[in-house]
DNA sequence: CGATGCGTTGATAACTTTCAAATTTAGTGG
DNA sequence: CCACTAAATTTGAAAGTTATCAACGCATCG
């Protein structure tokens, strides 16, 4: 499942200087994000490289600069539960324990800003606006997880439609979504099989709600109202 | 769905003096819980009374002294998603926004300690151990929600078994669980129908993993290994 | 151009919901 | 305390949904 390269994760921090993430197009006006850019080191990960693993010490906070990252957990029965997808501008790796409860991998080649948690904590102690951002980030994370629960009690069509709308909300323009993740990633995120995801997408296309390109990673939303229902 | 009595919630705070919750049997050695007992007002709610509602201002934090509380959300399609059950000693109503994102009701007649969030925040500013407890509480809450996600991608038998083990862990002795909530509450918590919950319990009983009493609210775990599998 | 991985489609089986009804339990008034 | 009623729980049968197993198509890349 994982490449053996780059699994040494954090110890590989390069000497690259932090660079502005503004060119990624992600909105980034928050104090926390700004601070991370000043304090962080830039890391690059090839496709499928592990960024951190479950049970490793959670000493760093991460911010996507380019590419996409997935966090996930492997269950006892071998299934994989994808917990979230992180696009440029998104912060991931936030934990409330000493160890990561999830693993993180680059979905596509990714540039990631890596910041020591201890440094951010110290900064939060000095700067109330940073502490406030931490609080808000935590709230968003909790909200995101709760929304996921609401998703998982719905049927396959609703899950896929919600997923498409969420992705459209986050990183697309003009109703066209460029999905960085595979069908398997989507299936593991939605708690469905890859076949069900495919069939549901086909059904939505038949119903004229979406269009799927030949490469299958580009999807055009034709009828948002139909998707929302 | 709700009784019309007591829906005025917080405005009914009585002049009762806070009392020790130690007699509830709940372990309660944390700084946050101690502080709440010193600062809080005791409220009593009859069965099915609303403690707070979605979209109401989240000005208070709550701690169960006796009885049981459920938090839930009503979805667009009319279904109810139960978010959590809170037993004596448990804290609920924690939010990261100005408004509650869930509603809360008493499952059985309940005594609840109610504390102003602003007072707790002020205390957290003075007492680092209280702030630390807030942090830990948040972490536990996030963990609880994430565990719920893992539950929801499993099949009915696994969900019911996990639920029983969770309840046994939390509030029972000697392998006997006294369930304060109805089958419908359980179904809405697990994302199943009441019929599936019943059938699954019957199947577990047939498989000698549990015993269900005549009143149906008392369940004896006969074979934990079988439940865990 | 052939190998390989990803995505799609088909057929069938397994699981869960839905609708209906029977059974049991809890509550209430006489 | 008992009979009656309402509510909760359980069981049955059929329909609907999703998973599983299998095969095929298609694109990418050496």
């Amino acid at each position: 499942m994982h490449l053996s390269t780059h699994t040494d994760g954090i110890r590989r921090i390069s000497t690259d200087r932090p660079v502005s993430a503004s060119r990624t197009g992600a909105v980034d006006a928050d104090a926390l994000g700004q601070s991370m850019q000043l304090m962080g080191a830039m890391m690059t990960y090839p496709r499928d490289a592990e960024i951190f693993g479950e049970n490793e010490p959670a000493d760093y906070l991460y911010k996507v600069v380019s590419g996409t990252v997935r966090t996930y957990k492997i269950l006892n029965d071998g299934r994989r539960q994808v917990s979230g997808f992180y696009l440029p501008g998104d912060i991931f790796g936030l934990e409330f324990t000493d160890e990561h409860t999830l693993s993180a991998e680059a979905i596509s080649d990714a540039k990631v800003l890596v910041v020591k948690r201890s440094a951010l904590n110290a900064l939060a102690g000095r700067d109330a606006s940073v502490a406030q951002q931490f609080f808000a980030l935590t709230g968003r994370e909790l909200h995101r997880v709760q929304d996921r629960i609401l998703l998982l009690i719905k049927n396959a069509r609703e899950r896929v439609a919600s997923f498409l709308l969420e992705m459209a909300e986050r990183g697309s323009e003009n109703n066209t979504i460029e999905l960085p993740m595979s069908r398997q990633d989507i299936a593991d995120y939605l708690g469905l099989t890859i076949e069900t995801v495919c069939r549901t997408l086909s059904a939505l296309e038949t119903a004229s709600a979406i269009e799927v390109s030949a490469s299958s990673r580009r999807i055009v939303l034709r009828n948002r109202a139909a998707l929302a229902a």
Side-chain angles (χ1 to χ4, degrees), chain A:
Chain A
M1 185 71 73
H2 305 153
L3 295 183
S4 59
T5 58
H6 285 258
T7 51
D8 46 353
I10 218 66
R11 291 186 294 283
R12 265 176 178 270
I13 285 186
S14 71
T15 54
D16 293 352
R17 290 295 90 207
V19 302
S20 166
S22 61
R23 60 183 160 74
T24 64
V27 176
D28 184 4
D30 57 298
L32 183 55
Q34 299 292 351
S35 306
M36 290 184 70
Q37 284 169 222
L38 295 175
M39 304 162 65
M42 188 71 72
M43 289 278 293
T44 59
Y45 298 92
R47 186 168 182 279
D48 287 338
E50 178 170 299
I51 299 172
F52 57 76
E54 203 176 332
N55 299 326
E56 286 180 10
D59 296 332
Y60 298 85
L61 198 61
Y62 304 80
K63 179 175 173 177
V64 181
V65 174
S66 68
T68 310
V69 170
R70 66 176 163 246
T71 55
Y72 67 92
K73 201 186 263 264
I74 302 293
L75 310 185
N76 312 327
D77 58 13
R79 273 183 308 176
R80 183 185 67 158
Q81 168 62 15
V82 170
S83 177
F85 298 113
Y86 297 87
L87 307 180
D90 292 342
I91 290 170
F92 67 99
L94 184 68
E95 298 283 353
F96 288 88
T97 55
D98 292 339
E99 294 185 350
H100 285 294
T101 56
L102 301 166
S103 302
E105 287 176 353
I107 286 182
S108 51
D109 293 355
K111 280 195 169 51
V112 175
L113 206 51
V114 183
V115 189
K116 257 200 171 349
R117 203 156 72 130
S118 58
L120 279 172
N121 280 338
L123 180 63
R126 294 195 304 275
D127 184 343
S129 79
V130 171
Q132 176 60 30
Q133 289 292 329
F134 261 114
F135 191 75
L137 179 63
T138 302
R140 282 198 299 276
E141 192 69 7
L142 197 58
H143 201 263
R144 196 182 65 79
V145 179
Q146 281 171 169
D147 279 350
R148 222 45 206 312
I149 289 181
L150 298 182
L151 229 177
L152 290 177
I153 66 173
K154 297 181 181 169
N155 64 27
R157 183 170 174 147
E158 292 173 306
R159 294 189 212 182
V160 172
S162 297
F163 171 74
L164 292 177
L165 289 171
E166 180 197 334
M167 292 306 294
E169 195 106 346
R170 287 172 67 181
S172 82
E173 47 201 291
N174 216 17
N175 281 341
T176 298
I177 320 172
E178 197 69 45
L179 296 175
M181 72 291 287
S182 70
R183 294 287 190 267
Q184 187 63 62
D185 286 334
I186 298 172
D188 290 347
Y189 178 70
L190 298 179
L192 299 170
T193 61
I194 184 174
E195 292 96 332
T196 299
V197 171
C198 273
R199 271 188 260 268
T200 306
L201 286 172
S202 298
L204 288 173
E205 191 166 28
T206 300
S208 301
I210 64 173
E211 270 176 39
V212 181
S213 75
S215 75
S216 81
R217 295 292 183 94
R218 184 191 311 273
I219 292 181
V220 182
L221 306 191
R222 278 275 166 233
N223 187 346
R224 282 176 112 103
L227 284 176

